[in-house]
Coordinates of all heavy atoms in Angstrom, one line a residue:
M4 N -7.5 34.3 -15.1 CA -6.8 33.1 -15.4 C -7.7 31.9 -15.2 O -8.3 31.8 -14.1 CB -5.5 33.0 -14.5 CG -4.5 31.9 -15.0 SD -2.9 32.0 -14.2 CE -3.2 31.3 -12.6
A5 N -7.7 30.9 -16.0 CA -8.5 29.7 -15.9 C -8.0 28.8 -14.7 O -6.8 28.7 -14.5 CB -8.5 28.8 -17.1
D6 N -8.9 28.2 -14.0 CA -8.6 27.3 -12.9 C -7.7 26.1 -13.5 O -8.1 25.5 -14.5 CB -9.8 26.8 -12.2 CG -10.4 27.8 -11.3 OD1 -9.7 28.8 -11.0 OD2 -11.6 27.7 -10.9
R7 N -6.6 25.8 -12.8 CA -5.8 24.7 -13.2 C -6.2 23.5 -12.4 O -6.4 23.5 -11.2 CB -4.3 25.0 -12.9 CG -3.4 23.9 -13.3 CD -1.9 24.4 -13.0 NE -1.6 24.5 -11.6 CZ -1.3 23.5 -10.8 NH1 -1.3 22.3 -11.2 NH2 -1.1 23.7 -9.5
K8 N -6.3 22.3 -13.1 CA -6.7 21.1 -12.3 C -5.5 20.7 -11.5 O -4.3 20.7 -12.0 CB -7.0 20.0 -13.4 CG -8.3 20.1 -14.0 CD -8.7 18.8 -14.8 CE -10.1 19.0 -15.4 NZ -10.4 17.8 -16.2
P9 N -5.7 20.2 -10.3 CA -4.6 19.8 -9.4 C -3.9 18.6 -10.0 O -4.6 17.7 -10.6 CB -5.2 19.5 -8.1 CG -6.6 19.4 -8.3 CD -6.9 20.1 -9.6
R10 N -2.6 18.5 -9.9 CA -1.9 17.3 -10.3 C -2.1 16.2 -9.4 O -2.4 16.4 -8.2 CB -0.3 17.6 -10.5 CG 0.1 18.7 -11.5 CD 1.5 18.8 -11.7 NE 2.3 18.7 -10.4 CZ 2.8 19.7 -9.8 NH1 2.7 20.9 -10.3 NH2 3.4 19.6 -8.7
I11 N -1.8 14.9 -9.8 CA -1.9 13.8 -8.8 C -1.2 13.9 -7.6 O -1.6 13.6 -6.6 CB -1.7 12.5 -9.7 CG1 -2.1 11.3 -8.8 CG2 -0.3 12.3 -10.0 CD1 -3.6 11.2 -8.6
D12 N 0.1 14.4 -7.7 CA 0.9 14.5 -6.5 C 0.4 15.6 -5.6 O 0.4 15.4 -4.4 CB 2.4 14.8 -6.8 CG 2.5 16.0 -7.7 OD1 1.7 16.5 -8.5 OD2 3.6 16.7 -7.5
E13 N -0.3 16.6 -6.1 CA -1.0 17.6 -5.2 C -2.2 17.0 -4.6 O -2.4 17.3 -3.4 CB -1.3 18.8 -6.0 CG -0.1 19.6 -6.6 CD -0.5 20.7 -7.6 OE1 -1.6 20.5 -8.3 OE2 0.2 21.7 -7.7
K14 N -2.9 16.1 -5.3 CA -4.1 15.5 -4.7 C -3.7 14.6 -3.6 O -4.2 14.5 -2.5 CB -4.8 14.8 -5.7 CG -5.6 15.6 -6.7 CD -6.5 14.8 -7.6 CE -7.5 15.6 -8.3 NZ -8.4 14.8 -9.1
L15 N -2.6 13.8 -3.9 CA -2.1 12.8 -2.9 C -1.6 13.5 -1.6 O -1.7 12.9 -0.5 CB -1.0 11.9 -3.4 CG -1.6 10.9 -4.5 CD1 -0.4 10.2 -5.1 CD2 -2.6 9.9 -3.9
A16 N -1.1 14.7 -1.8 CA -0.6 15.4 -0.6 C -1.7 15.8 0.3 O -1.4 16.1 1.5 CB 0.1 16.7 -1.1
R17 N -2.9 15.7 -0.1 CA -4.0 16.1 0.8 C -4.8 14.9 1.4 O -5.8 15.0 2.1 CB -5.1 16.9 -0.1 CG -4.6 18.2 -0.5 CD -5.7 19.1 -1.1 NE -5.1 20.1 -1.9 CZ -5.1 20.2 -3.2 NH1 -5.8 19.3 -3.9 NH2 -4.5 21.3 -3.8
V18 N -4.2 13.7 1.0 CA -4.8 12.4 1.6 C -4.3 12.3 3.0 O -3.2 12.6 3.4 CB -4.3 11.2 0.7 CG1 -4.6 9.9 1.5 CG2 -4.9 11.2 -0.6
A19 N -5.3 11.9 3.9 CA -4.9 11.8 5.3 C -5.1 10.3 5.8 O -5.8 9.5 5.2 CB -5.9 12.7 6.1
F20 N -4.2 10.0 6.8 CA -4.2 8.6 7.3 C -4.5 8.7 8.7 O -3.9 9.6 9.5 CB -2.9 7.9 7.0 CG -2.7 7.8 5.6 CD1 -1.9 8.7 4.9 CD2 -3.1 6.7 4.8 CE1 -1.6 8.6 3.5 CE2 -2.8 6.5 3.5 CZ -2.1 7.4 2.8
N21 N -5.3 7.7 9.2 CA -5.3 7.5 10.7 C -4.9 6.0 10.9 O -5.6 5.0 10.6 CB -6.8 7.6 11.2 CG -6.9 7.4 12.7 OD1 -5.9 7.5 13.4 ND2 -8.1 7.2 13.2
I22 N -3.5 6.0 11.2 CA -2.9 4.7 11.2 C -3.2 3.8 12.4 O -3.1 4.2 13.5 CB -1.4 4.8 11.0 CG1 -1.1 5.5 9.7 CG2 -0.7 3.5 11.0 CD1 0.3 5.9 9.5
D23 N -3.7 2.6 12.1 CA -4.0 1.6 13.1 C -2.7 0.9 13.5 O -1.9 0.6 12.7 CB -5.0 0.7 12.6 CG -5.7 -0.3 13.7 OD1 -5.3 -0.1 14.9 OD2 -6.6 -1.0 13.4
R24 N -2.6 0.6 14.8 CA -1.3 -0.2 15.1 C -1.5 -1.7 14.8 O -0.6 -2.4 14.7 CB -0.9 0.1 16.6 CG -1.9 -0.1 17.6 CD -1.5 0.4 19.0 NE -2.6 0.5 19.8 CZ -3.2 -0.5 20.4 NH1 -2.8 -1.7 20.2 NH2 -4.3 -0.3 21.0
E25 N -2.8 -2.1 14.5 CA -3.0 -3.4 14.1 C -3.0 -3.5 12.5 O -3.8 -2.8 11.9 CB -4.4 -3.8 14.6 CG -4.7 -5.3 14.4 CD -6.0 -5.6 15.0 OE1 -6.2 -5.4 16.3 OE2 -6.9 -6.1 14.3
A26 N -2.1 -4.2 12.0 CA -1.8 -4.2 10.5 C -3.1 -4.8 9.8 O -3.6 -5.9 10.2 CB -0.6 -5.0 10.1
H27 N -3.6 -4.2 8.8 CA -4.8 -4.7 8.1 C -4.3 -5.6 6.9 O -5.1 -6.3 6.2 CB -5.7 -3.6 7.5 CG -5.1 -2.7 6.5 ND1 -4.1 -1.8 6.8 CD2 -5.3 -2.6 5.2 CE1 -3.9 -1.1 5.8 NE2 -4.6 -1.6 4.8
I28 N -3.0 -5.6 6.6 CA -2.4 -6.4 5.5 C -1.2 -7.1 6.1 O -0.3 -6.4 6.8 CB -2.0 -5.6 4.3 CG1 -3.2 -4.9 3.7 CG2 -1.4 -6.5 3.2 CD1 -2.9 -3.9 2.6
T29 N -1.1 -8.4 6.0 CA 0.1 -9.1 6.4 C 0.6 -9.9 5.2 O -0.2 -10.3 4.4 CB 0.0 -10.0 7.6 OG1 -1.2 -10.9 7.3 CG2 -0.5 -9.1 8.8
V30 N 1.9 -10.1 5.1 CA 2.6 -10.9 4.1 C 3.4 -12.1 4.6 O 4.2 -11.9 5.5 CB 3.5 -10.0 3.2 CG1 4.0 -10.7 2.0 CG2 2.7 -8.7 2.8
A31 N 3.1 -13.2 4.0 CA 3.9 -14.4 4.4 C 5.2 -14.2 3.6 O 5.4 -14.8 2.5 CB 3.1 -15.7 4.0
K32 N 6.1 -13.5 4.0 CA 7.4 -13.1 3.4 C 8.3 -14.3 2.9 O 9.1 -14.1 2.1 CB 8.2 -12.1 4.2 CG 7.4 -10.8 4.3 CD 8.3 -9.8 5.2 CE 7.5 -8.6 5.5 NZ 8.2 -7.6 6.3
E33 N 8.1 -15.4 3.6 CA 9.0 -16.5 3.2 C 8.7 -17.0 1.8 O 9.6 -17.7 1.2 CB 8.8 -17.6 4.2 CG 7.4 -18.3 4.3 CD 6.5 -17.5 5.2 OE1 6.8 -16.4 5.6 OE2 5.4 -18.2 5.5
S34 N 7.6 -16.6 1.2 CA 7.2 -17.0 -0.1 C 8.0 -16.1 -1.1 O 8.1 -16.5 -2.3 CB 5.8 -16.8 -0.3 OG 5.0 -17.7 0.5
C35 N 8.3 -14.9 -0.8 CA 8.7 -13.9 -1.7 C 10.0 -14.1 -2.5 O 10.0 -13.8 -3.7 CB 8.7 -12.6 -1.0 SG 7.1 -12.1 -0.2
P36 N 11.0 -14.7 -1.9 CA 12.2 -14.9 -2.8 C 12.0 -15.7 -4.0 O 12.6 -15.6 -5.0 CB 13.2 -15.6 -1.8 CG 12.7 -15.1 -0.4 CD 11.3 -15.0 -0.5
G37 N 11.0 -16.6 -4.0 CA 10.7 -17.5 -5.1 C 9.6 -17.0 -5.9 O 9.1 -17.7 -6.9
C38 N 9.1 -15.8 -5.7 CA 8.0 -15.3 -6.4 C 8.3 -14.8 -7.9 O 9.3 -14.1 -8.1 CB 7.4 -14.0 -5.8 SG 6.1 -13.2 -6.6
P39 N 7.5 -15.4 -8.9 CA 7.8 -15.0 -10.3 C 7.4 -13.5 -10.5 O 6.2 -13.2 -10.4 CB 6.9 -16.0 -11.0 CG 5.9 -16.4 -10.1 CD 6.5 -16.3 -8.7
G40 N 8.4 -12.7 -10.8 CA 8.1 -11.2 -11.1 C 7.9 -10.3 -10.1 O 8.0 -9.1 -10.3
R41 N 7.6 -10.8 -8.9 CA 7.3 -10.0 -7.7 C 6.5 -8.7 -8.1 O 6.9 -7.6 -8.0 CB 8.6 -9.5 -7.0 CG 9.4 -10.7 -6.6 CD 10.7 -10.3 -6.0 NE 11.5 -11.5 -5.7 CZ 12.8 -11.5 -5.7 NH1 13.6 -10.5 -6.0 NH2 13.5 -12.7 -5.4
P42 N 5.2 -8.9 -8.6 CA 4.4 -7.9 -9.1 C 4.0 -6.8 -8.1 O 3.8 -5.7 -8.5 CB 3.2 -8.6 -9.6 CG 3.2 -9.9 -9.0 CD 4.6 -10.2 -8.7
C43 N 4.0 -7.1 -6.8 CA 3.7 -6.1 -5.8 C 4.6 -4.9 -5.8 O 4.2 -3.8 -5.5 CB 3.6 -6.8 -4.4 SG 5.2 -7.4 -3.9
L44 N 5.9 -5.2 -6.2 CA 6.9 -4.2 -6.2 C 6.5 -3.0 -7.1 O 6.9 -1.8 -6.9 CB 8.2 -4.7 -6.5 CG 8.8 -5.8 -5.6 CD1 10.2 -6.2 -6.1 CD2 8.8 -5.4 -4.2
S45 N 5.9 -3.3 -8.2 CA 5.5 -2.2 -9.2 C 4.1 -1.8 -9.1 O 3.8 -0.8 -9.6 CB 6.0 -2.6 -10.6 OG 5.4 -3.8 -10.9
A46 N 3.3 -2.7 -8.6 CA 1.8 -2.4 -8.7 C 1.3 -1.5 -7.6 O 0.2 -0.9 -7.8 CB 1.1 -3.7 -8.7
C47 N 1.9 -1.6 -6.5 CA 1.4 -0.7 -5.3 C 1.5 0.7 -5.5 O 2.6 1.2 -5.6 CB 2.0 -1.2 -4.0 SG 1.5 -0.2 -2.6
P48 N 0.4 1.4 -5.6 CA 0.5 2.9 -5.9 C 1.2 3.6 -4.7 O 1.7 4.8 -5.0 CB -0.9 3.4 -6.1 CG -1.7 2.3 -5.4 CD -1.0 1.0 -5.5
A49 N 1.2 3.0 -3.6 CA 1.7 3.7 -2.4 C 3.2 3.3 -2.2 O 3.9 3.8 -1.2 CB 1.0 3.4 -1.1
E50 N 3.7 2.4 -3.0 CA 5.1 2.0 -3.0 C 5.4 1.3 -1.6 O 6.4 1.6 -1.0 CB 6.1 3.0 -3.4 CG 5.9 3.5 -4.8 CD 6.9 4.6 -5.3 OE1 7.7 5.1 -4.3 OE2 6.9 4.8 -6.4
N51 N 4.4 0.6 -1.1 CA 4.5 -0.1 0.2 C 5.4 -1.3 0.2 O 5.8 -1.8 1.3 CB 3.2 -0.3 0.8 CG 2.5 0.8 1.3 OD1 3.0 2.0 1.3 ND2 1.2 0.6 1.8
Y52 N 5.6 -1.8 -1.1 CA 6.4 -3.0 -1.2 C 7.7 -2.7 -1.8 O 7.7 -2.1 -2.9 CB 5.7 -4.0 -2.1 CG 4.4 -4.6 -1.5 CD1 3.2 -3.9 -1.7 CD2 4.3 -5.8 -0.9 CE1 2.0 -4.4 -1.2 CE2 3.2 -6.4 -0.4 CZ 2.0 -5.6 -0.5 OH 0.9 -6.1 0.0
T53 N 8.8 -3.0 -1.2 CA 10.1 -2.8 -1.7 C 10.9 -4.1 -1.5 O 10.6 -4.9 -0.7 CB 10.9 -1.6 -1.1 OG1 10.9 -1.7 0.3 CG2 10.2 -0.3 -1.4
W54 N 12.1 -4.1 -2.2 CA 12.9 -5.3 -2.1 C 14.3 -4.9 -1.5 O 14.9 -4.0 -2.0 CB 13.1 -6.0 -3.4 CG 13.7 -7.4 -3.3 CD1 15.0 -7.8 -3.4 CD2 12.9 -8.5 -2.9 NE1 15.1 -9.1 -3.1 CE2 13.9 -9.6 -2.8 CE3 11.6 -8.8 -2.6 CZ2 13.5 -10.9 -2.4 CZ3 11.2 -10.1 -2.2 CH2 12.2 -11.1 -2.1
N55 N 14.7 -5.7 -0.4 CA 16.0 -5.4 0.1 C 17.0 -6.4 -0.4 O 16.9 -7.6 -0.1 CB 15.9 -5.6 1.7 CG 17.2 -5.3 2.3 OD1 18.3 -5.8 1.9 ND2 17.1 -4.6 3.5
D56 N 17.8 -5.9 -1.4 CA 18.8 -6.8 -2.1 C 19.7 -7.5 -1.1 O 20.1 -8.6 -1.3 CB 19.5 -6.0 -3.2 CG 18.7 -5.7 -4.3 OD1 17.8 -6.6 -4.7 OD2 18.7 -4.6 -4.9
E57 N 20.2 -6.7 -0.1 CA 21.1 -7.2 0.8 C 20.7 -8.4 1.5 O 21.4 -9.4 1.8 CB 21.5 -6.1 1.8 CG 22.8 -6.2 2.5 CD 23.2 -5.0 3.2 OE1 23.2 -3.9 2.7 OE2 23.5 -5.1 4.4
N58 N 19.5 -8.4 2.0 CA 18.8 -9.5 2.7 C 18.1 -10.4 1.8 O 17.5 -11.5 2.3 CB 17.9 -9.0 3.8 CG 18.6 -8.2 4.9 OD1 19.8 -8.4 5.0 ND2 18.0 -7.2 5.4
D59 N 17.9 -10.1 0.5 CA 17.1 -10.9 -0.5 C 15.7 -11.1 0.2 O 15.2 -12.2 0.4 CB 17.8 -12.2 -0.8 CG 17.1 -12.8 -2.1 OD1 16.6 -12.0 -2.8 OD2 17.1 -14.0 -2.2
A60 N 15.1 -10.0 0.6 CA 13.8 -10.1 1.3 C 12.9 -9.0 1.0 O 13.3 -7.9 0.7 CB 14.1 -10.2 2.8
L61 N 11.6 -9.2 1.1 CA 10.6 -8.3 0.9 C 10.5 -7.3 2.2 O 10.6 -7.9 3.3 CB 9.3 -8.9 0.7 CG 8.1 -7.9 0.4 CD1 8.1 -7.5 -1.0 CD2 6.7 -8.5 0.7
V62 N 10.4 -6.1 1.9 CA 10.0 -5.1 3.0 C 8.6 -4.6 2.7 O 8.4 -4.1 1.6 CB 11.0 -4.0 3.0 CG1 10.7 -3.0 4.1 CG2 12.5 -4.5 3.2
F63 N 7.8 -4.7 3.7 CA 6.4 -4.2 3.5 C 5.9 -3.4 4.7 O 6.3 -3.7 5.8 CB 5.4 -5.4 3.4 CG 4.0 -5.0 3.4 CD1 3.5 -4.2 2.4 CD2 3.2 -5.2 4.5 CE1 2.1 -3.8 2.4 CE2 1.9 -4.8 4.6 CZ 1.3 -4.1 3.4
N64 N 5.3 -2.2 4.3 CA 4.8 -1.3 5.3 C 3.3 -1.1 5.0 O 3.0 -0.7 3.9 CB 5.5 0.0 5.3 CG 7.0 -0.2 5.8 OD1 7.3 -0.6 6.9 ND2 7.8 0.2 4.9
Y65 N 2.5 -1.3 5.9 CA 1.0 -1.1 5.6 C 0.6 0.3 5.8 O -0.4 0.8 5.3 CB 0.1 -2.0 6.5 CG 0.2 -1.7 8.0 CD1 -0.8 -0.8 8.5 CD2 1.1 -2.2 8.8 CE1 -0.8 -0.5 9.9 CE2 1.2 -1.9 10.1 CZ 0.2 -1.1 10.7 OH 0.2 -0.7 12.0
E66 N 1.5 1.1 6.6 CA 1.2 2.5 6.7 C 1.2 3.2 5.3 O 2.1 2.9 4.5 CB 2.2 3.2 7.6 CG 2.3 2.7 9.0 CD 3.3 1.6 9.2 OE1 3.7 1.0 8.1 OE2 3.7 1.3 10.3
G67 N 0.3 4.1 5.0 CA 0.2 4.7 3.7 C -0.5 3.9 2.7 O -0.6 4.3 1.5
C68 N -1.1 2.8 3.1 CA -1.9 2.1 2.2 C -3.1 2.9 1.7 O -3.9 3.4 2.5 CB -2.4 0.7 2.8 SG -3.5 -0.2 1.9
M69 N -3.4 2.7 0.4 CA -4.5 3.5 -0.2 C -5.8 2.6 -0.3 O -6.8 3.1 -0.8 CB -4.2 3.9 -1.6 CG -2.9 4.7 -1.8 SD -3.1 6.4 -1.5 CE -1.6 7.1 -2.0
E70 N -5.7 1.4 0.2 CA -6.8 0.5 0.2 C -7.4 0.2 -1.1 O -8.6 0.0 -1.3 CB -7.9 0.9 1.2 CG -7.3 1.1 2.6 CD -8.3 1.8 3.5 OE1 -9.5 1.8 3.3 OE2 -7.8 2.5 4.5
C71 N -6.5 0.2 -2.1 CA -6.9 -0.1 -3.5 C -7.2 -1.5 -3.8 O -8.0 -1.9 -4.7 CB -5.9 0.5 -4.5 SG -4.3 -0.5 -4.6
G72 N -6.6 -2.4 -3.0 CA -6.9 -3.9 -3.1 C -6.0 -4.5 -4.2 O -6.1 -5.8 -4.4
T73 N -5.2 -3.8 -4.9 CA -4.4 -4.4 -6.0 C -3.5 -5.6 -5.5 O -3.5 -6.7 -6.2 CB -3.5 -3.3 -6.6 OG1 -4.3 -2.3 -7.1 CG2 -2.8 -3.9 -7.8
C74 N -2.8 -5.4 -4.4 CA -1.8 -6.4 -4.0 C -2.6 -7.7 -3.7 O -2.1 -8.8 -3.9 CB -1.0 -5.9 -2.8 SG -1.9 -5.4 -1.4
R75 N -3.8 -7.5 -3.2 CA -4.6 -8.8 -2.8 C -4.8 -9.7 -4.0 O -4.9 -10.9 -3.9 CB -5.9 -8.2 -2.3 CG -6.9 -9.3 -2.0 CD -8.2 -8.5 -1.7 NE -9.1 -9.3 -0.9 CZ -10.2 -8.9 -0.4 NH1 -10.7 -7.6 -0.6 NH2 -11.0 -9.7 0.3
F76 N -5.0 -9.1 -5.2 CA -5.3 -9.8 -6.4 C -4.1 -10.2 -7.3 O -4.2 -11.2 -8.0 CB -6.3 -9.0 -7.2 CG -7.7 -8.9 -6.6 CD1 -8.0 -7.6 -6.0 CD2 -8.5 -9.9 -6.5 CE1 -9.3 -7.5 -5.4 CE2 -9.8 -9.8 -5.9 CZ -10.1 -8.6 -5.3
I77 N -3.0 -9.4 -7.2 CA -1.9 -9.8 -8.1 C -0.9 -10.7 -7.5 O -0.1 -11.2 -8.3 CB -1.2 -8.5 -8.6 CG1 -0.7 -7.8 -7.4 CG2 -2.2 -7.6 -9.4 CD1 0.4 -6.8 -7.7
C78 N -1.0 -11.0 -6.3 CA 0.1 -11.8 -5.7 C 0.0 -13.3 -6.2 O -1.1 -14.0 -5.9 CB 0.1 -11.8 -4.2 SG 1.2 -12.9 -3.4
P79 N 0.9 -13.8 -7.0 CA 0.7 -15.1 -7.6 C 0.9 -16.3 -6.7 O 0.5 -17.4 -7.0 CB 1.9 -15.2 -8.7 CG 2.9 -14.3 -8.1 CD 2.2 -13.2 -7.4
L80 N 1.4 -16.0 -5.5 CA 1.6 -17.1 -4.5 C 0.6 -17.0 -3.3 O 0.8 -17.7 -2.4 CB 3.1 -17.1 -4.0 CG 4.1 -17.2 -5.1 CD1 5.5 -17.2 -4.5 CD2 3.9 -18.5 -6.0
D81 N -0.4 -16.2 -3.5 CA -1.3 -16.0 -2.4 C -0.8 -15.8 -1.0 O -1.1 -16.4 0.0 CB -2.2 -17.3 -2.4 CG -3.6 -17.0 -1.8 OD1 -4.0 -15.8 -1.8 OD2 -4.3 -18.0 -1.5
A82 N 0.3 -15.0 -1.0 CA 1.0 -14.7 0.3 C 0.5 -13.6 1.1 O 1.0 -13.3 2.2 CB 2.5 -14.5 -0.1
I83 N -0.5 -12.8 0.6 CA -1.0 -11.6 1.2 C -2.4 -11.9 1.9 O -3.3 -12.4 1.2 CB -1.2 -10.5 0.1 CG1 0.3 -10.2 -0.4 CG2 -1.7 -9.2 0.7 CD1 0.3 -9.2 -1.5
S84 N -2.4 -11.5 3.2 CA -3.7 -11.6 3.8 C -4.2 -10.1 3.9 O -3.5 -9.3 4.5 CB -3.5 -12.2 5.2 OG -3.1 -13.5 5.1
W85 N -5.3 -9.9 3.4 CA -5.8 -8.5 3.2 C -7.2 -8.3 3.9 O -8.1 -9.1 3.7 CB -5.9 -8.3 1.7 CG -5.9 -6.8 1.3 CD1 -4.9 -6.1 0.8 CD2 -7.1 -6.0 1.3 NE1 -5.3 -4.8 0.4 CE2 -6.6 -4.7 0.7 CE3 -8.4 -6.0 1.7 CZ2 -7.4 -3.6 0.6 CZ3 -9.2 -5.0 1.5 CH2 -8.7 -3.8 0.9
S86 N -7.3 -7.2 4.6 CA -8.6 -6.8 5.0 C -8.6 -5.2 5.0 O -7.6 -4.6 5.0 CB -9.0 -7.3 6.4 OG -8.1 -6.8 7.4
Y87 N -9.8 -4.6 5.1 CA -9.9 -3.2 5.3 C -9.5 -2.9 6.8 O -9.6 -3.8 7.7 CB -11.3 -2.7 5.1 CG -11.7 -2.5 3.7 CD1 -12.6 -3.4 3.0 CD2 -11.1 -1.5 2.9 CE1 -12.9 -3.3 1.7 CE2 -11.4 -1.4 1.5 CZ -12.3 -2.3 0.9 OH -12.6 -2.2 -0.4
P88 N -8.9 -1.7 7.0 CA -8.6 -1.3 8.4 C -9.9 -1.3 9.3 O -11.0 -1.2 8.7 CB -8.1 0.1 8.3 CG -7.6 0.2 6.8 CD -8.6 -0.7 6.1
R89 N -9.7 -1.4 10.5 CA -10.9 -1.4 11.5 C -11.5 0.0 11.3 O -10.9 0.9 10.8 CB -10.3 -1.5 12.9 CG -9.8 -2.9 13.1 CD -9.5 -3.0 14.6 NE -8.4 -2.1 15.1 CZ -8.1 -1.9 16.3 NH1 -8.8 -2.5 17.3 NH2 -7.2 -1.0 16.7
G90 N -12.8 0.1 11.7 CA -13.6 1.3 11.6 C -12.8 2.5 12.2 O -12.4 2.4 13.3
G91 N -12.9 3.6 11.4 CA -12.2 4.8 11.9 C -10.8 4.9 11.6 O -10.1 6.0 11.8
F92 N -10.2 3.8 11.1 CA -8.7 3.9 10.7 C -8.6 3.8 9.2 O -9.5 3.4 8.4 CB -8.0 2.7 11.4 CG -7.8 2.8 12.8 CD1 -8.8 2.1 13.6 CD2 -7.0 3.7 13.4 CE1 -8.7 2.1 15.0 CE2 -6.9 3.8 14.8 CZ -7.7 3.0 15.7
G93 N -7.4 4.1 8.7 CA -7.1 4.0 7.3 C -7.0 5.3 6.6 O -6.8 6.4 7.2
V94 N -7.1 5.2 5.3 CA -7.0 6.4 4.4 C -8.3 7.2 4.4 O -9.4 6.6 4.5 CB -6.6 6.0 3.0 CG1 -7.6 5.2 2.3 CG2 -6.1 7.2 2.2
A95 N -8.2 8.5 4.3 CA -9.3 9.4 4.1 C -9.0 10.3 2.9 O -8.0 11.1 2.9 CB -9.6 10.2 5.4
Y96 N -9.8 10.2 1.9 CA -9.6 11.0 0.6 C -10.3 12.4 0.6 O -10.1 13.2 -0.3 CB -10.1 10.2 -0.6 CG -9.2 9.0 -0.9 CD1 -9.6 7.7 -0.5 CD2 -8.0 9.1 -1.6 CE1 -8.9 6.6 -0.8 CE2 -7.2 8.0 -1.8 CZ -7.7 6.8 -1.4 OH -6.9 5.6 -1.7
R97 N -11.1 12.6 1.7 CA -11.9 13.8 1.6 C -11.1 15.1 1.7 O -11.7 16.2 1.6 CB -12.9 13.7 2.8 CG -12.4 13.7 4.1 CD -13.4 13.2 5.1 NE -12.8 12.7 6.3 CZ -12.7 13.4 7.4 NH1 -13.3 14.6 7.5 NH2 -12.2 12.9 8.6
W98 N -9.8 15.1 1.9 CA -9.1 16.3 2.0 C -8.6 16.7 0.6 O -8.0 17.8 0.5 CB -7.8 16.1 2.9 CG -8.2 15.4 4.2 CD1 -7.9 14.2 4.6 CD2 -9.0 16.0 5.3 NE1 -8.5 13.9 5.8 CE2 -9.1 15.0 6.3 CE3 -9.6 17.2 5.5 CZ2 -9.8 15.2 7.4 CZ3 -10.3 17.4 6.7 CH2 -10.4 16.4 7.6
G99 N -8.7 15.9 -0.4 CA -8.2 16.3 -1.7 C -9.1 16.7 -2.7 O -10.3 16.6 -2.6
Ligands
SF4_23 S1 3.7 -10.7 -5.1 FE1 3.3 -11.8 -3.2 S2 4.8 -13.5 -3.2 FE2 5.4 -12.1 -4.8 S3 6.9 -10.7 -3.7 FE3 4.9 -9.7 -3.6 S4 4.0 -10.4 -1.7 FE4 5.7 -11.8 -2.1
SF4_24 S1 -4.0 -2.3 -1.1 FE1 -3.2 -1.0 -2.7 S2 -2.1 0.7 -1.7 FE2 -2.5 -0.9 -0.1 S3 -0.6 -2.1 0.0 FE3 -2.0 -3.1 -1.5 S4 -1.5 -2.3 -3.5 FE4 -0.6 -1.0 -2.0

């Protein structure tokens, strides 16, 4: 039987994280209720950005960040402060 290429969800299941307690991304959430389109909600591949309708507020978790940098560039209100995690922390793709 020919080798089957792994699906993306199978590859992502092999990604490892060494989570730093110091956040490498922070968001000035007070800007978010007035944000046009809130592009972070659909652009983040890790789904780290969600919207809490009850509180009308952004919910953001930096854990699980793939370090793709997308949110850094798409935020129209420049509300995101972004850096790579400190050395030794963050995502490791070598398991997939
Ligand atoms: S794109 Fe920026 S301003 Fe808009 S909701 Fe996301 S973090 Fe907030
Ligand atoms: S860098 Fe990429 S994976 Fe990390 S929070 Fe931003 S969009 Fe999501």
Side-chain angles (χ1 to χ4, degrees):
M4 191 170 80
D6 284 344
R7 179 179 68 81
K8 285 188 177 176
R10 297 191 318 259
I11 187 67
D12 58 328
E13 291 172 333
K14 286 188 172 186
L15 289 175
R17 297 189 196 113
V18 170
F20 296 94
N21 184 14
I22 297 171
D23 193 354
R24 45 193 168 79
E25 191 175 298
H27 65 289
I28 301 172
T29 57
V30 183
K32 295 180 183 175
E33 64 275 12
S34 300
C35 301
C38 174
R41 297 174 188 153
C43 62
L44 301 181
S45 55
C47 174
E50 299 182 349
N51 283 359
Y52 294 83
T53 56
W54 194 260
N55 183 316
D56 287 323
E57 203 170 303
N58 298 331
D59 196 30
L61 182 81
V62 178
F63 171 68
N64 296 300
Y65 69 94
E66 300 94 339
C68 174
M69 308 274 191
E70 299 168 31
C71 67
T73 304
C74 56
R75 173 188 202 177
F76 292 104
I77 59 159
C78 178
L80 301 181
D81 206 19
I83 297 171
S84 297
W85 199 101
S86 64
Y87 282 109
R89 296 185 297 168
F92 292 101
V94 66
Y96 290 102
R97 60 197 159 103
W98 313 107

